[in-house]
């Protein structure tokens, strides 16, 4: 594949990045697939800002909702991207940023948690708890999973 073709294909990919936070706001994992613009701050500062924003949005949504909500905050979008949010019963938070064309990634995030995170992190005695994830098998399985998502594929021109 020519470099120009590869760059054009990458520009059409719709998954930008993924964060995984523990219940205390520590970023356990971060990866990028097609992030064009960096925040201009350290990754640690970015992680703190992202977690703080999630905490604030969740609180706002729960307080302002006219009805009792089982699910709470699921996603939000800007003019350039959509943030998808999934929180496990144990307080793990999965945040996936995608293109606006992705309507709902909740099932994908649930699958990622139950079939990849639980199987390759929780059930793996070699992966220490409450630390950043640097498991090669987890990273490999995650990358394969993300690249197989229907909304990861290049969009039609």
């Amino acid at each position: 594949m020519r470099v120009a073709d590869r760059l054009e294909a990458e520009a059409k990919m719709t998954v930008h990045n993924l964060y995984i936070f523990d219940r205390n706001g520590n970023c356990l994992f971060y990866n990028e697939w097609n992030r064009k613009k960096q925040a201009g701050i350290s990754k640690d500062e970015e992680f703190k800002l992202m977690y703080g924003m999630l905490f604030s949005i969740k609180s706002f949504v729960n307080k302002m909702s006219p009805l009792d909500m089982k699910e709470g905050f699921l996603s939000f979008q800007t003019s350039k991207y959509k943030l998808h949010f999934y929180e496990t019963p144990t307080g793990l938070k999965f945040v996936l940023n995608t293109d606006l064309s992705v309507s709902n990634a909740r099932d994908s995030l649930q699958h990622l948690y139950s079939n990849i995170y639980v199987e390759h992190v929780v059930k793996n005695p070699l992966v220490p708890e409450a630390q950043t994830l640097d498991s090669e098998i987890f990273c490999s399985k995650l990358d394969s999973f993300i690249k197989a998502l229907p909304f990861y594929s290049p969009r039609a021109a």
Side-chain angles (χ1 to χ4, degrees), residues 12-15 96 98-99 101-109 111 143-156:
K12 293 179 182 177
M13 290 181 196
T14 57
V15 173
L96 184 69
T98 67
D99 186 83
S101 64
V102 179
S103 61
N104 185 356
R106 184 163 182 79
D107 290 343
S108 298
L109 289 173
H111 180 85
D143 192 58
S144 297
F145 172 72
I146 294 291
K147 289 179 177 176
L149 291 171
F151 49 82
Y152 179 84
S153 301
R155 293 177 292 177

Side-chain angles (χ1 to χ4, degrees), residues 50-67:
M50 177 60 76
Y51 188 81
M53 181 192 68
L54 294 171
F55 183 85
S56 296
I57 289 176
K58 276 185 51 182
S59 176
F60 177 79
V61 166
N62 288 333
K63 288 180 179 160
M64 298 307 291
S65 174
L67 305 170

Side-chain angles (χ1 to χ4, degrees), residues 3-156:
V3 172
D5 293 337
R6 185 176 55 80
L7 291 174
E8 182 180 330
E10 286 176 3
K12 293 179 182 177
M13 290 181 196
T14 57
V15 173
H16 300 298
N17 54 13
L18 172 77
Y19 302 83
I20 301 175
F21 293 99
D22 69 10
R23 72 174 71 200
N24 300 315
N26 300 309
C27 188
L28 301 176
F29 181 81
Y30 174 78
N31 197 24
E32 298 176 357
W33 285 270
N34 186 35
R35 183 176 180 177
K36 298 212 182 304
K37 181 178 183 262
Q38 297 301 316
I41 56 177
S42 71
K43 286 294 180 204
D44 284 339
E45 192 65 26
E46 179 180 332
F47 299 155
K48 288 177 188 174
L49 287 171
M50 177 60 76
Y51 188 81
M53 181 192 68
L54 294 171
F55 183 85
S56 296
I57 289 176
K58 276 185 51 182
S59 176
F60 177 79
V61 166
N62 288 333
K63 288 180 179 160
M64 298 307 291
S65 174
L67 305 170
D68 280 340
M69 295 179 19
K70 180 182 174 192
E71 299 296 333
F73 168 60
L74 302 175
S75 67
F76 81 84
Q77 73 180 44
T78 70
S79 62
K80 299 291 182 187
Y81 71 94
K82 186 167 186 177
L83 181 145
H84 305 267
F85 179 75
Y86 174 68
E87 185 170 8
T88 70
T90 60
L92 286 174
K93 294 158 187 67
F94 291 76
V95 180
L96 184 69
N97 287 312
T98 67
D99 186 83
L100 293 172
S101 64
V102 179
S103 61
N104 185 356
R106 184 163 182 79
D107 290 343
S108 298
L109 289 173
Q110 286 176 321
H111 180 85
L112 175 108
Y113 168 68
S114 60
N115 295 345
I116 298 173
Y117 184 86
V118 169
E119 293 299 320
H120 300 288
V121 175
V122 175
K123 292 182 179 180
N124 185 343
L126 300 176
V127 177
E129 226 179 287
Q131 294 182 4
T132 58
L133 297 175
D134 58 1
S135 165
E136 285 185 34
I137 188 140
F138 171 75
C139 292
S140 173
K141 296 288 184 182
L142 172 67
D143 192 58
S144 297
F145 172 72
I146 294 291
K147 289 179 177 176
L149 291 171
F151 49 82
Y152 179 84
S153 301
R155 293 177 292 177

